Amino acid sequence: MLNVMTVDVEDWFHVQAFSHIYPVSEWNSQRTRIIANVIKTLEILHEHRAKATFFILGWVAQRFPEIVALIHDRGHEIASHSQYHRLVYNLSPDEFREDLRQSILHIEQAANVTVRGYRAPSFSVRPQQKWIWTIFREFGIEFDSSVFPVMHDTYGTPSAPRFPYKVKVDEGSSVLEIPPSTIRWAGMNVPVAGGGYLRMFPYWFTKRAIRKLNSEGHPAIVYFHPWELDVHQKRLDAGLKSRLRHYTNLSSFESKLHRLLAEFEFSTISDVVIGGKKTVA
Ligand SMILES: [Zn+2]
């Protein structure tokens, strides 16, 4: 069964865990590692003949348009990860609209593509932000991957559906929501296939979780970041919780990703979920 691979394209200093140390005003003066890390990501995907949906930060597309062009040239899907990596639930509708507009502009200019997908920084979309779906439609966004049906201190809506579903915007138009994969355990949704969860759980657990999802007829929705392949990145003393989230098992992630890509087949959201290869309820 084809599963979905997604990559959130941001540099080491963009992540939420370090946002108090590196505000946007500091980004231009940081030593970027994004080009090497994206090239490494592309090489690994190519080695396993896998395609992925890349959610790209607009700031990255603006500063390094060649990265977007390179990802596009390799046949992957291009989508938005916002312009400045701000949490959506901290933005007003107008601030969100402007951030989305800028990200789409820079990404589309970089690679002559049409952006149809979005993922919020740190999955920061909550059900009370009903305006977000209308704004998505204003900009032609057809799919979103920002509502994580889990319990977490900074994000998550535990009661949200676990599998792709349509959010109706108005008569005749909707946005497809693509939640990252979870399994049910002890009455809870447990995230299994991305970021810190993918790094912290042993490989056999991830494999078993994906097998279980597939046996129930669902593709796994996996995500990772290019900086997770970068063992030489600068190590910050950003508090215990942030350090744990960002650095745990960084050294073993590359081999885990290779095993995952060797054992399962992956493609883009458009291919697997929208393109008719998997029907949506
Ligand atoms: Zn991010």
Side-chain angles (χ1 to χ4, degrees):
M1 180 174 208
L2 258 183
N3 293 286
V4 172
M5 182 58 76
T6 65
V7 183
D8 293 357
V9 178
E10 61 199 31
D11 219 328
W12 60 274
F13 49 87
H14 293 137
V15 299
Q16 190 55 34
F18 305 142
S19 59
H20 57 298
I21 306 173
Y22 296 106
V24 176
S25 55
E26 297 290 317
W27 289 0
N28 271 326
S29 55
Q30 299 313 311
R31 194 175 289 254
T32 179
R33 300 180 68 82
I34 191 74
I35 295 174
N37 290 339
V38 166
I39 289 172
K40 188 171 184 177
T41 301
L42 291 171
E43 284 172 355
I44 292 173
L45 292 172
H46 179 72
E47 188 181 329
H48 297 280
R49 299 170 187 273
K51 292 280 183 276
T53 297
F54 282 70
F55 293 97
I56 301 171
L57 199 64
W59 186 90
V60 170
Q62 187 177 7
R63 184 125 188 253
F64 307 107
E66 64 276 20
I67 288 185
V68 187
L70 186 62
I71 296 168
H72 178 60
D73 286 349
R74 296 289 180 92
H76 300 287
E77 178 165 43
I78 304 289
S80 165
H81 190 40
S82 86
Q83 176 67 17
Y84 291 119
H85 213 268
R86 292 176 294 178
L87 299 172
V88 172
Y89 52 68
N90 288 339
L91 302 179
S92 69
D94 281 344
E95 286 170 333
F96 174 77
R97 182 183 279 111
E98 180 56 18
D99 187 271
L100 180 63
R101 187 191 68 77
Q102 285 187 42
S103 78
I104 291 174
L105 177 77
H106 294 305
I107 294 167
E108 291 191 342
Q109 276 182 350
N112 196 21
V113 290
T114 303
V115 169
R116 295 201 173 87
Y118 178 82
R119 174 175 284 155
S122 300
F123 304 102
S124 54
V125 171
R126 289 176 172 161
Q128 53 265 44
Q129 283 138 359
K130 295 213 183 334
W131 43 263
I132 199 169
W133 309 100
T134 313
I135 296 175
F136 280 153
R137 291 308 305 169
E138 281 175 32
F139 288 90
I141 295 294
E142 295 169 4
F143 67 87
D144 172 67
S145 182
S146 309
V147 183
F148 211 154
V150 294
M151 193 95 80
H152 185 278
D153 58 348
T154 56
Y155 58 76
T157 307
S159 58
R162 292 175 51 224
F163 301 111
Y165 56 99
K166 285 178 183 166
V167 178
K168 193 174 163 190
V169 180
D170 49 41
E171 253 353 283
S173 90
S174 60
V175 174
L176 190 58
E177 178 60 33
I178 319 281
S181 285
T182 55
I183 56 163
R184 291 292 291 170
W185 184 75
M188 290 188 324
N189 295 338
V190 179
V192 290
Y197 308 107
L198 188 55
R199 276 183 281 125
M200 277 179 244
F201 289 132
Y203 179 72
W204 65 260
F205 179 86
T206 309
K207 173 176 151 179
R208 195 178 290 179
I210 295 177
R211 284 258 163 84
K212 179 162 170 48
L213 290 166
N214 288 174
S215 72
E216 293 165 354
H218 303 292
I221 316 293
V222 178
Y223 68 93
F224 73 96
H225 307 82
W227 56 258
E228 291 179 280
L229 297 164
D230 184 2
V231 291
H232 301 299
Q233 66 187 281
K234 187 170 161 183
R235 301 284 169 132
L236 296 167
D237 186 11
L240 181 65
K241 195 161 73 175
S242 295
R243 278 208 317 274
L244 280 174
R245 276 187 187 154
H246 200 76
Y247 300 130
T248 299
N249 291 346
L250 217 52
S251 58
S252 60
F253 180 68
E254 186 173 341
S255 63
K256 192 182 263 184
L257 183 63
H258 273 289
R259 291 179 75 181
L260 197 62
L261 289 164
E263 194 141 355
F264 297 94
E265 284 190 299
F266 289 95
S267 192
T268 63
I269 287 175
S270 281
D271 249 8
V272 180
V273 188
I274 301 171
K277 293 182 184 168
K278 163 80 188 127
T279 48
V280 176

